[in-house]
Amino acid sequence: MSTQQPKLTRFKQNVLSKYHIYNSIFMTLPFDTISKTGVLLPLFHETCEKGFKNGDNPTTIVETFFKKYQGRRNEESQLNLLFRFIQYIERQVVLFDAIEDAAFPIVNNMDGIGTLRSLKGSARAENKLEELKKYLREFKVRIVLTAHPTQFYPGEVLGIITDLSEAIEENDLLKINDLLAQLGKTPFFKHHKPSPYDEAVSLMWYLQNVFYHSFGKIYDYIQQNIFEDEVLENEVINIGFWPGGDRDGNPFVTPEITLKVAQRLKESILRNYYKDVRRLKRRLTFRGVEDKVSELESKIIPMCEGKNPKAMDVQEFKSILQNIKQTLIKEHQSLYIDQVNSLINKVHLFGFHFANLDIRQDSRAHAKVFNDMVDKLLETGSDIFPKNYHDLTEQEQVKILSNIKGKIDLSIFEDEDVLKTLETMKVIKAIQEENGERAANRYIISNNQTTLNVMQLWAMLKLVAFHDDLTVDIGPLFETIEDLENAPAVMEELYTNPQYAAHLKKRGNKQTIMLGFSDGTKDGGYLMANWGIFKAKERLTEVSRKYDVTVIFFDGRGGPPARGGGKTHQFYASLGPTIEDKEVQLTIQGQTISSNFGTLDSSQYNLEQLISSGIQNKLHGESLAMSQEHIEVMDDLAKRSYKAYSDFKGHPKFVPYLERMSTLKYYAKTNIGSRPSKRGKSSELVFEDLRAIPFVGSWSQLKQNVPGFYGVGTALKHYEDAGEFDKVVELYKGSSFFKTLIENSMMSLSKSFFDLTKYMADDPEFGEFWKIIYEESETSKRLILKLTGYSELMQEEPSGKASIAIRESIVLPLLTIQQYALKKIQEMQKEGEPDKEKIEVFEKLVTRSLFGNINASRNSA
């Protein structure tokens, strides 16, 4: 189908129409024990839609449905039907995902704006091809896959989605029918929490089946079409990996698991290489090359099986391939040279490590281990630390740590936390020796507040494993609004520390700094978190350039706008010249991995968008600089928004509301991630202990999406009341950065649905609090429409809006069931002697209804 038609038309014809056709087949499949579920669900859906239009609450809607259509069912039978509805809806979401994935290259123009082909064309037209090449020799994009638990599909279901997408693309009705039946019978629910190793293996599916191919394709295009086959040293795109390395708040990540994950990564990439070598063997049947391909195959097989891991190293692999390439050029008219080149490029991109495994831990966990380590060393008479170390000032301690020398014997330690942390340092070294330095050469310190936090890790790394040569980059992660403000001073202390500066020089004068959106938003609200990070990046760029250091910003951006997600490539294209942009690095997690990078087409398209966003920023950066007036308005908006959000967060009902009216406490019961859902051990819920994912996810389940808009309306209203709204309009027109923020906030509001929880307005305890949220959402919506000149939210993106609308419609019955169950639980808990078994059934309904809703949102947590 032609991409000349409007995107919305393409979406309607290739996604919406197909969904209705295949859904009607799916609804008639006889795969469950309760007959008529497929017949009753559309009636329930209609009851929900009409009910909310009439202002009914979820309890009334569910009861009306049973009275009208299923009057004879007893309570147990009614609950069984609700569980069946949940199962059906989960699978409807999968069906919609598969259809949208299949239609991706038709709905999205694969050669349109933001793609490499378009970038090359515009660079050529503007005589900027040399500039583009120069930029691609330096510029890098790294997406980092994290183990954050928002991916609800087990591996079997991911496989079905892939097969279903292919069958839909081919319009193979028989195959679709069988796959829908398979989908109906395949369980979604995990009865046991996955281990961190399980999480790593399930994410490696994407590495092997998607990224290996899409990275290769993109790199081949750049090399052949932009560089016309000259050698390109820079890999342009690479991939980072957190499962098995990220131990922040996850006690189940051990040194053994980290090592096991690294070994599995190596085996996975070797298996992919093996498949490519087999393909070459079928083609390169000529004298002088045939034997070399056989030699490669004979070396790679025992390596894949772990029998002879050192059969060859990366250099040998590359040189055999180069040798084959030269022979093909000299003796065989370059026949099949593209396939050889393509494999050489993949080896250049992935080495023997596949992905860069990051290690991450919280500074507070490090400080405790570090102090226990010092105590033990002093107790055993070691002279590595002075006896009065603990009495020294922070500056004196930093000086000692900078010059630290010596080796420590781990056998003297008994404390489990100390051993786990120090053993991890050894594991990093072991992985580097086995899979190459790039396999594990970065350690992120979350909740980093001071220079001492960095130097404690520096000292541990040097004492345990890297005595003479520290081949690890230390990346502080600044998260809260206060930490972001202090970050430039911390970095200046590090840059002026002679030992640390010498280390950076050896590492190419590059410093990675990670900035956390999710905890920033949780701490400071939507506008302040984004603006706080923008300003921190400007100041960190300034201080880094002052000391001739290239700063690499690594963004901890989640799925939804509330955690820094949303329209990511637009965000990067809008940063302007005051922020260092030699590399774009960001975390991708949960269902954002499957929705944005889950297929070859979507992965290629979104990676190309990220590459071109950074380059657009570079080629046109000067025009993106914010004027002084714009900065002042943006700063004022952020401060007003921050005050509104802080007052809201400080409301005495804030934590009780989340705890009792939302699904917050049910996240831990879903068995989707290996990490606990809160940090502290106390039974009381404390705001600081809340993890960003359940926090944001709970607002999303309530369809209130507070972290994506709260404070925006209040800030804009100040300008309206003062008769100065034109200042904000000027900012919106003149700043791509602010425009992107507003568009992402619109997405959060589009996914809100207050009719679902309107009944809470009458709650004696939480009614007033609900009204505060509702009023802020209405103010935000009204003023965002006034600011943009739109008549409806997301007007500029009709196909995205249509996709959200159909997804929200699919899960409407699911949300209704969830709210109905929550209300039942609240009522039963107020009884003198509540029926525990009954409460358990309703709790199960709540937990089971989390899945489909999160998957349907595609970026809800």
Side-chain angles (χ1 to χ4, degrees):
M1 180 183 169
S2 162
T3 52
Q4 299 305 309
Q5 287 180 301
K7 195 171 178 180
L8 182 60
T9 308
R10 301 198 301 269
F11 175 82
K12 281 179 176 170
Q13 289 182 3
N14 293 278
V15 180
L16 216 48
S17 304
K18 281 189 176 178
Y19 173 71
H20 290 312
I21 294 164
Y22 295 134
N23 186 44
S24 59
I25 297 171
F26 174 63
M27 297 302 265
T28 57
L29 286 173
F31 60 64
D32 69 30
T33 47
I34 296 184
S35 59
K36 296 189 186 164
T37 307
V39 179
L40 291 169
L41 182 54
L43 294 172
F44 181 56
H45 191 277
E46 191 188 359
T47 310
C48 292
E49 279 188 331
K50 281 186 178 164
F52 286 121
K53 271 198 186 106
N54 294 337
D56 294 342
N57 66 41
T59 309
T60 307
I61 290 169
V62 174
E63 285 169 357
T64 304
F65 168 75
F66 282 123
K67 207 177 290 173
K68 193 171 175 185
Y69 298 108
Q70 292 288 297
R72 292 207 198 101
R73 279 185 193 271
N74 62 25
E75 191 181 17
E76 189 185 342
S77 172
Q78 288 181 358
L79 289 170
N80 277 339
L81 184 62
L82 293 179
F83 276 112
R84 288 290 172 194
F85 282 166
I86 290 171
Q87 279 184 304
Y88 262 79
I89 294 162
E90 281 176 338
R91 285 153 180 79
Q92 284 178 311
V93 172
V94 170
L95 175 61
F96 190 78
D97 279 352
I99 292 167
E100 207 165 38
D101 285 346
F104 191 92
I106 302 167
V107 175
N108 297 280
N109 185 353
M110 299 297 282
D111 297 328
I113 291 167
T115 61
L116 287 173
R117 191 163 268 126
S118 157
L119 192 68
K120 183 193 170 191
S122 57
R124 178 171 276 155
E126 294 173 40
N127 280 329
K128 285 187 172 177
L129 210 52
E130 283 311 310
E131 245 183 281
L132 177 62
K133 281 188 185 175
K134 178 175 177 277
Y135 198 57
L136 284 168
R137 284 191 186 100
E138 287 187 341
F139 180 71
K140 283 184 175 65
V141 167
R142 180 183 296 189
I143 59 170
V144 180
L145 307 185
T146 77
H148 294 331
T150 59
Q151 172 52 273
F152 282 71
Y153 293 142
E156 300 81 8
V157 176
L158 286 172
I160 296 171
I161 295 177
T162 305
D163 296 343
L164 198 51
S165 293
E166 280 173 19
I168 288 164
E169 238 173 299
E170 292 155 13
N171 283 321
D172 186 338
L173 265 176
L174 278 174
K175 198 171 173 191
I176 291 166
N177 206 47
D178 288 348
L179 285 164
L180 288 174
Q182 184 189 349
L183 188 63
K185 287 182 173 292
T186 303
F188 279 37
F189 187 68
K190 297 184 173 93
H191 290 285
H192 305 287
K193 265 186 178 296
S195 71
Y197 182 70
D198 296 333
E199 286 174 333
V201 170
S202 72
L203 276 188
M204 280 182 215
W205 186 92
Y206 291 101
L207 290 181
Q208 288 178 280
N209 294 289
V210 181
F211 292 115
Y212 180 77
H213 305 286
S214 59
F215 274 43
K217 207 170 166 188
I218 290 169
Y219 194 79
D220 288 351
Y221 180 86
I222 291 171
Q223 204 210 22
Q224 287 163 19
N225 294 286
I226 297 175
F227 284 86
E228 289 164 354
D229 289 331
E230 69 173 276
V231 174
L232 176 60
E233 288 300 323
N234 180 26
E235 70 269 24
V236 187
I237 38 178
N238 58 43
I239 196 156
F241 202 73
W242 273 19
D246 178 14
R247 52 243 312 126
D248 176 12
N250 192 338
F252 309 112
V253 178
T254 61
E256 295 75 26
I257 284 203
T258 304
L259 199 53
K260 204 172 154 192
V261 168
Q263 284 163 344
R264 180 71 179 243
L265 281 166
K266 183 176 183 178
E267 283 167 23
S268 299
I269 188 62
L270 287 168
R271 282 198 191 105
N272 277 29
Y273 290 155
Y274 173 67
K275 285 178 196 163
D276 278 358
V277 168
R278 292 279 304 167
R279 281 188 203 104
L280 282 179
K281 196 177 181 186
R282 289 183 67 167
R283 296 283 166 264
L284 303 182
T285 49
F286 333 130
R287 190 173 295 136
V289 288
E290 191 183 16
D291 54 333
K292 292 189 180 100
V293 180
S294 294
E295 181 196 348
L296 263 185
E297 188 186 24
S298 67
K299 288 190 170 179
I300 218 163
I301 290 171
M303 290 178 78
C304 287
E305 294 165 351
K307 287 176 185 165
N308 184 4
K310 291 194 160 47
M312 71 175 156
D313 59 19
V314 177
Q315 287 320 113
E316 190 183 348
F317 191 13
K318 274 186 184 170
S319 67
I320 295 172
L321 286 170
Q322 289 290 358
N323 202 313
I324 291 170
K325 181 180 168 179
Q326 292 313 316
T327 311
L328 288 176
I329 294 169
K330 270 190 208 153
E331 297 172 27
H332 303 291
Q333 293 80 43
S334 297
L335 198 55
Y336 295 124
I337 199 160
D338 282 352
Q339 276 102 313
V340 178
N341 258 337
S342 192
L343 184 52
I344 290 171
N345 285 343
K346 283 176 185 146
V347 178
H348 178 55
L349 290 176
F350 302 114
F352 277 0
H353 61 283
F354 214 158
N356 306 60
L357 186 62
D358 283 339
I359 309 298
R360 183 175 79 132
Q361 180 57 291
D362 191 291
S363 63
R364 292 162 292 196
H366 279 155
K368 187 180 179 316
V369 164
F370 180 82
N371 290 326
D372 289 353
M373 176 189 83
V374 173
D375 290 342
K376 192 71 181 171
L377 286 168
L378 292 175
E379 195 187 297
T380 54
S382 161
D383 58 0
I384 292 175
F385 292 93
K387 289 188 170 50
N388 65 340
Y389 177 80
H390 291 305
D391 305 324
L392 301 173
T393 64
E394 274 203 17
Q395 274 83 357
E396 289 167 333
Q397 287 182 345
V398 165
K399 198 169 181 193
I400 284 168
L401 299 180
S402 307
N403 294 291
I404 203 86
K405 284 200 170 36
K407 293 182 182 181
I408 58 177
D409 175 7
L410 298 194
S411 66
I412 64 168
F413 300 104
E414 287 140 28
D415 183 281
E416 194 187 341
D417 287 342
V418 173
L419 275 170
K420 266 163 79 171
T421 305
L422 299 182
E423 283 286 356
T424 300
M425 318 277 165
K426 286 181 114 168
V427 162
I428 299 170
K429 180 91 167 169
I431 294 170
Q432 288 192 359
E433 283 165 3
E434 190 62 38
N435 298 3
E437 196 228 283
R438 281 160 64 201
N441 65 355
R442 182 164 73 179
Y443 201 128
I444 309 286
I445 309 171
S446 47
N447 190 48
N448 194 94
Q449 296 175 334
T450 62
T451 308
L452 186 62
N453 291 155
V454 173
M455 296 318 290
Q456 283 176 339
L457 174 61
W458 155 284
M460 288 190 283
L461 283 163
K462 295 200 86 153
L463 291 172
V464 175
F466 298 89
H467 312 293
D468 308 313
D469 186 17
L470 182 56
T471 52
V472 177
D473 298 317
I474 297 175
L477 161 53
F478 300 102
E479 297 180 79
T480 65
I481 303 300
E482 190 184 345
D483 290 348
L484 288 169
E485 283 172 7
N486 296 337
V490 170
M491 295 318 299
E492 185 148 31
E493 280 179 31
L494 286 166
Y495 294 153
T496 52
N497 177 311
Q499 288 74 21
Y500 192 82
H503 164 68
L504 279 185
K505 199 165 186 196
K506 274 202 298 196
R507 308 290 295 161
N509 265 343
K510 287 183 175 179
Q511 171 67 52
T512 299
I513 298 175
M514 189 172 176
L515 301 158
F517 276 78
S518 34
D519 280 303
T521 310
K522 195 186 115 197
D523 183 50
Y526 178 69
L527 280 184
M528 182 52 109
N530 280 283
W531 182 237
I533 285 171
F534 186 93
K535 286 198 302 182
K537 281 185 174 179
E538 285 193 318
R539 289 163 61 222
L540 288 164
T541 298
E542 198 182 320
V543 74
S544 302
R545 285 174 179 169
K546 178 178 165 187
Y547 295 101
D548 200 24
V549 172
T550 301
V551 64
I552 294 160
F553 291 118
F554 173 21
D555 289 322
R557 305 172 69 83
R563 298 189 50 240
K567 299 167 186 179
T568 311
H569 44 271
Q570 285 180 343
F571 173 84
Y572 284 112
S574 73
L575 292 178
T578 52
I579 289 175
E580 194 67 78
D581 61 350
K582 294 258 177 24
E583 295 195 24
V584 165
Q585 293 197 7
L586 70 158
T587 53
I588 310 278
Q589 61 210 29
Q591 36 3 349
T592 312
I593 297 173
S594 48
S595 61
N596 288 0
F597 301 93
T599 66
L600 284 174
D601 289 322
S602 63
S603 166
Q604 186 184 334
Y605 181 82
N606 284 308
L607 280 164
E608 287 190 18
Q609 293 285 333
L610 277 174
I611 294 169
S612 73
S613 69
I615 291 171
Q616 292 288 7
N617 191 37
K618 195 71 181 171
L619 297 180
H620 307 288
E622 294 306 321
S623 63
L624 294 168
M626 284 173 92
S627 67
Q628 194 49 43
E629 298 90 275
H630 286 168
I631 291 170
E632 281 164 19
V633 175
M634 184 70 230
D635 207 47
D636 186 57
L637 283 168
K639 281 176 182 152
R640 290 179 188 284
S641 163
Y642 182 44
K643 167 128 186 29
Y645 179 78
S646 299
D647 290 349
F648 172 62
K649 196 177 75 176
H651 194 290
K653 294 295 173 205
F654 186 92
V655 172
Y657 179 81
L658 272 179
E659 193 169 22
R660 289 175 23 218
M661 305 301 273
S662 85
T663 56
L664 183 72
K665 62 182 178 205
Y666 297 92
Y667 266 78
K669 298 178 183 179
T670 54
N671 291 333
I672 51 158
S674 66
R675 223 161 62 146
S677 58
K678 68 187 189 76
R679 286 187 173 88
K681 291 186 171 70
S682 71
S683 56
E684 283 289 295
L685 187 63
V686 184
F687 180 78
E688 285 65 34
D689 285 346
L690 276 182
R691 291 203 171 283
I693 287 170
F695 174 73
V696 171
S698 298
W699 290 113
S700 164
Q701 296 278 333
L702 282 166
K703 286 291 151 198
Q704 293 176 356
N705 288 329
V706 159
F709 70 79
Y710 201 95
V712 176
T714 300
L716 292 174
K717 192 170 184 303
H718 166 80
Y719 281 82
E720 185 185 51
D721 292 347
E724 295 182 330
F725 202 71
D726 56 318
K727 285 187 178 177
V728 195
V729 174
E730 283 305 306
L731 174 65
Y732 178 76
K733 285 179 181 165
S735 162
S736 301
F737 173 74
F738 182 59
K739 190 169 190 281
T740 303
L741 288 192
I742 291 297
E743 285 177 3
N744 277 336
S745 200
M746 264 197 274
M747 191 194 289
S748 287
L749 284 162
S750 292
K751 292 182 178 182
S752 296
F753 180 59
F754 279 86
D755 284 353
L756 180 73
T757 54
K758 198 185 270 176
Y759 72 91
M760 292 181 189
D762 301 324
D763 187 273
E765 188 178 351
F766 294 109
E768 290 309 309
F769 187 73
W770 184 90
K771 285 175 192 162
I772 292 171
I773 303 168
Y774 178 64
E775 278 158 21
E776 182 66 16
S777 81
E778 287 294 290
T779 306
S780 299
K781 182 179 170 180
R782 178 178 70 79
L783 290 171
I784 283 176
L785 290 176
K786 181 176 177 178
L787 173 65
T788 54
Y790 295 162
S791 56
E792 55 182 37
L793 295 173
M794 289 183 74
Q795 189 177 309
E796 88 301 354
E797 215 193 333
S799 65
K801 187 180 171 69
S803 176
I804 288 172
I806 186 81
R807 287 171 178 281
E808 297 294 310
S809 170
I810 293 169
V811 293
L812 185 66
L814 199 66
L815 294 162
T816 310
I817 293 168
Q818 187 181 80
Q819 284 300 318
Y820 164 73
L822 280 168
K823 190 90 174 71
K824 281 280 188 203
I825 293 164
Q826 288 158 19
E827 283 166 10
M828 283 189 282
Q829 281 170 341
K830 282 174 187 162
E831 291 167 9
E833 286 182 20
D835 182 336
K836 287 201 174 106
E837 275 183 30
K838 214 167 172 189
I839 286 179
E840 224 169 84
V841 175
F842 281 101
E843 285 187 332
K844 207 180 255 185
L845 265 181
V846 175
T847 306
R848 293 292 285 114
S849 58
L850 285 169
F851 292 67
N853 185 30
I854 286 231
N855 285 325
S857 295
R858 285 217 148 179
N859 67 359
S860 65

